[in-house]
Amino acid sequence: GGQSGQEPAPGQDTSTGELNLSSRTPKWALVPGEYGVGRMKSRSTAIFSNGDPGVSGKHAKIIVVKRHKGERPEVILEDTGSNYGTFVNEDIDEPSVGIQNYKSNKPGKGISKPRILQHNDRIKFGVTTFILRLIWLDLEVIPSSLPLEDTKEVTNLLKEIGKFSIQPRNKSISRMTTHLVMSSLQLTPKVLACLVNQVPIVSKEYFQDFLSALKTKQKLPEVDNYVPGVHESEISLKEPGVYFTVDPKRKTLFQGKQFIFLDGTKEKVEGVIAKTGGISTRWDPETQIPDSSLDSEDVIVIAPEKTKKQEASQTQALGTEM
């Protein structure tokens, strides 16, 4: 946030003022150059509405101009003689800008000269439903359980993509985090934090295809298609119904639930539980917990984590018994 040089990425408008990387609405990343806007994809049209009849074949163009080092590029929007106009921000909501104009063949009153766009500007092409929002996005990527060679590859890909920061493995998930990169999924506090905070979990291939889309002026890849496979040790995560794509419903996942920890692991997930509406407490041997509470579906008792030494001892004991 606030850093210069980041390439802007307009994603289809959600009226939230934020770019939802996990949504399946079309998104394009822009680098210095010219982008045609029109009804269908063509050699001269990079940003397209996929057949919206209210959008002209060659409707508008977006020009990204490189500026001085350390400054964000300038983004200029120009209508190129469209039938139904191009509108920005408050003009989108004018009563004259609507489907009735398309039906009556009356063009709306859109921009008449090139306009410099700012962060969070909304742009409507035509009079139906094709609305984009311009967002300046700083990529903040955290690797987790990622081999060193893969971390280096992701870092190099991000250098080509533009403004970014790749955080150390011990960095906590924050509101600035845009992606968690893993080679395989394991249920860790960091993964739980991503699920709660709507942060996409992706493999390194996502950034390979992101860069390819950037260079060829294609739509950005969908993060849901790049969720890593489950680690072989996480058998329970392979059960039907378990998924790791972003789901806003997880924000209230633990609403009304109480977690009782029998050891000191509470601190690792306390924030995640609180963010999803739950309560976490550490078991106190001097405090009696009524059996009725323990029988409740809303009370979850978390057993202590086994150390590697304990697991090895248990495996050896089982081998002796056999």
Side-chain angles (χ1 to χ4, degrees), residues 62-245:
I62 294 174
I63 304 168
V64 184
V65 182
K66 189 174 183 179
R67 302 180 71 183
H68 299 294
K69 186 177 181 180
E71 294 182 344
R72 287 177 173 170
E74 191 171 68
V75 183
I76 303 168
L77 173 67
E78 182 178 348
D79 188 281
T80 53
S82 67
N83 291 330
Y84 298 101
T86 303
F87 311 90
V88 180
N89 294 335
E90 63 275 2
D91 292 337
I92 292 175
D93 303 316
E94 284 291 316
S96 62
V97 182
I99 190 65
Q100 67 274 13
N101 284 333
Y102 168 68
K103 290 179 177 178
S104 61
N105 202 32
K106 295 178 180 178
K109 293 182 179 179
I111 61 172
S112 57
K113 58 183 180 180
R115 175 162 175 165
I116 297 175
L117 296 176
Q118 306 296 330
H119 169 72
N120 215 26
D121 276 350
R122 297 168 67 221
I123 310 108
K124 183 174 185 178
F125 300 97
V127 292
T128 49
T129 60
F130 192 45
I131 302 175
L132 300 181
R133 187 186 291 271
L134 181 70
I135 299 290
W136 290 92
L137 179 66
D138 292 331
L139 296 179
E140 182 177 289
V141 178
I142 299 179
S144 180
S145 304
L146 199 65
L148 182 59
E149 285 303 311
D150 288 351
T151 302
K152 289 180 179 178
E153 182 180 350
V154 171
T155 301
N156 290 332
L157 289 167
L158 290 169
K159 285 179 180 178
E160 285 198 70
I161 288 171
K163 187 66 179 179
F164 77 98
S165 62
I166 187 158
Q167 300 296 322
R169 296 168 185 266
N170 59 357
K171 168 81 172 180
S172 298
I173 302 298
S174 72
R175 59 183 299 272
M176 303 303 295
T177 307
T178 58
H179 303 84
L180 180 69
V181 192
M182 304 183 75
S183 55
S184 59
L185 278 165
Q186 294 176 277
L187 194 56
T188 64
K190 196 167 288 184
V191 167
L192 284 173
C194 283
L195 297 176
V196 170
N197 290 286
Q198 319 296 297
V199 175
I201 305 170
V202 298
S203 62
K204 66 175 184 179
E205 286 76 18
Y206 172 76
F207 295 102
Q208 293 172 350
D209 291 349
F210 189 113
L211 180 59
S212 177
L214 193 70
K215 289 180 174 179
T216 58
K217 298 184 178 180
Q218 304 291 321
K219 287 190 294 184
L220 291 180
E222 300 288 352
V223 291
D224 286 359
N225 297 332
Y226 296 84
V227 178
V230 174
H231 191 273
E232 59 183 11
S233 65
E234 299 280 8
I235 299 174
S236 62
L237 301 184
K238 298 180 182 180
E239 296 290 330
V242 178
Y243 60 96
F244 290 87
T245 53

Side-chain angles (χ1 to χ4, degrees), residues 313-322:
S313 298
Q314 185 177 24
T315 302
Q316 186 177 10
L318 288 171
T320 303
E321 290 174 6
M322 293 172 67

Side-chain angles (χ1 to χ4, degrees), residues 284-319:
D284 182 355
E286 298 181 1
T287 302
Q288 289 291 331
I289 302 175
D291 291 342
S292 57
S293 295
L294 295 177
D295 290 337
S296 170
E297 292 182 354
D298 293 330
V299 176
I300 299 98
V301 179
I302 308 298
E305 287 184 320
K306 289 182 181 178
T307 64
K308 291 184 178 180
K309 186 176 181 180
Q310 289 173 326
E311 289 178 349
S313 298
Q314 185 177 24
T315 302
Q316 186 177 10
L318 288 171

